[in-house]
């Protein structure tokens, strides 16, 4: 990670509820390695109910309101997701549906976002990644460009919660650095 200068606050959203999820574990490894330049807060989605427009009213459901606030107050978002049946898991899409409202004014509007997909398969969840991009585009998020971060055979890279693929980890950290640079670059433009 390059010289910090200033810390950026990133919300890391995991697309998996699984107790020993690789998607969540990747976020935790990145949070440790990217500190202190990046303050990466790992978030899981157990408390988010099924989206129902009837319930999407004021006052918002507390878990939804809390997540919206976290995203709003963050400098950027990193989504780490598995692939389920060539798409993103329902829990992640469901959460993004909540966060997408109010339409055109969502907490993701203009928010720098990076994506990591992972899978036990060698394809690394690349199809889910493209579905996720489409959803984020509809929410007017600012997708940070660069090589896609796709982790194939993810189960092979963990040993007792230690990430053993250092080259792969450096590739992920570079993507995170691009996210940080996007945030810092915007701050410079605002000053
Ligand atoms: C319902 C379901 C569907 C899946 N579909 C795919 C798939 O289409 N492509 C793929 O590469 N892996 C697929 N997988 C494998 C998961 O992507 C893989 O197990 C992943 O590591 C799980 O993520 P997690 O460790 O974060 O929970 C599927 C797994 C489940 C449970």
């Amino acid at each position: 990670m390059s010289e910090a200068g200033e810390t950026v606050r990133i919300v890391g959203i995991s697309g998996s509820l699984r107790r020993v999820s690789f998607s969540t574990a990747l976020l935790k490894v990145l949070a440790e390695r990217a500190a202190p330049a990046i303050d990466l807060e790992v978030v899981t989605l157990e408390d988010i109910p099924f989206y129902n427009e009837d319930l999407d009213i004021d006052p918002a459901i507390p878990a939804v309101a809390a997540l919206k606030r976290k995203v709003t107050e963050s400098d950027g978002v990193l989504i780490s997701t598995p692939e389920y049946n060539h798409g993103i898991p329902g829990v992640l899409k469901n959460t993004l549906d909540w966060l997408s409202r109010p339409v055109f004014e969502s907490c993701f509007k203009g928010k720098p976002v990076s994506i990591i997909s992972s899978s036990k398969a060698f394809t690394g969840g690349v199809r889910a990644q493209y579905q996720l991009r489409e959803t984020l585009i509809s929410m007017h998020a600012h997708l940070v460009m660069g090589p896609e971060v796709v982790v194939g055979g993810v189960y092979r890279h963990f040993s007792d919660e230690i990430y053993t693929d250092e080259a792969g980890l450096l590739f992920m950290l570079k993507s995170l650095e691009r996210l940080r640079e996007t945030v810092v670059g915007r701050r410079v433009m605002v000053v």
Side-chain angles (χ1 to χ4, degrees):
M1 197 60 46
S2 66
E3 282 302 303
E6 46 192 332
T7 299
V8 303
R9 284 168 309 149
I10 303 296
V11 176
I13 298 178
S14 172
S16 173
L17 300 181
R18 205 163 67 85
R19 192 173 41 81
V20 287
S21 156
F22 293 118
S23 310
T24 309
L26 282 173
L27 288 173
K28 289 180 180 165
V29 168
L30 288 169
E32 209 175 295
R33 282 289 292 265
I38 295 179
D39 174 6
L40 175 59
E41 183 184 358
V42 180
V43 169
T44 52
L45 306 173
E46 289 83 358
D47 298 334
I48 306 294
F50 285 132
Y51 184 81
N52 177 346
E53 201 171 346
D54 294 336
L55 304 178
D56 198 357
I57 50 176
D58 244 357
I61 290 170
V64 173
L67 186 53
K68 278 188 178 178
R69 203 175 316 114
K70 258 192 218 306
V71 171
T72 300
E73 289 172 0
S74 74
D75 296 308
V77 176
L78 172 65
I79 299 177
S80 172
T81 186
E83 178 171 281
Y84 279 4
N85 300 308
H86 295 193
I88 55 174
V91 287
L92 179 57
K93 179 62 166 58
N94 178 64
T95 298
L96 293 175
D97 290 338
W98 277 112
L99 299 182
S100 71
R101 304 285 119 170
V103 66
F104 306 132
E105 292 304 329
S106 98
C107 56
F108 266 79
K109 186 178 175 184
K111 187 70 67 180
V113 183
S114 291
I115 299 170
I116 295 176
S117 63
S118 59
S119 169
K120 290 177 187 164
F122 78 95
T123 39
V126 70
R127 292 160 295 213
Q129 183 149 160
Y130 276 87
Q131 187 197 36
L132 179 54
R133 283 175 183 230
E134 284 302 319
T135 299
L136 292 167
I137 286 167
S138 84
M139 294 162 70
H140 297 189
H142 176 144
L143 285 171
V144 175
M145 292 303 154
E148 292 89 340
V149 182
V150 170
V151 185
V154 64
Y155 63 96
R156 282 195 239 111
H157 303 316
F158 279 98
S159 172
D160 294 332
E161 294 180 19
I162 305 285
Y163 200 74
T164 56
D165 176 15
E166 184 62 19
L169 184 55
L170 289 176
F171 188 67
M172 286 185 258
L173 286 165
K174 264 192 192 151
S175 162
L176 207 43
E177 176 62 13
R178 281 193 294 278
L179 178 57
R180 197 187 74 85
E181 280 167 3
T182 303
V183 170
V184 172
R186 284 174 157 212
R187 285 181 184 164
V188 170
M189 279 195 293
V190 168
V191 169

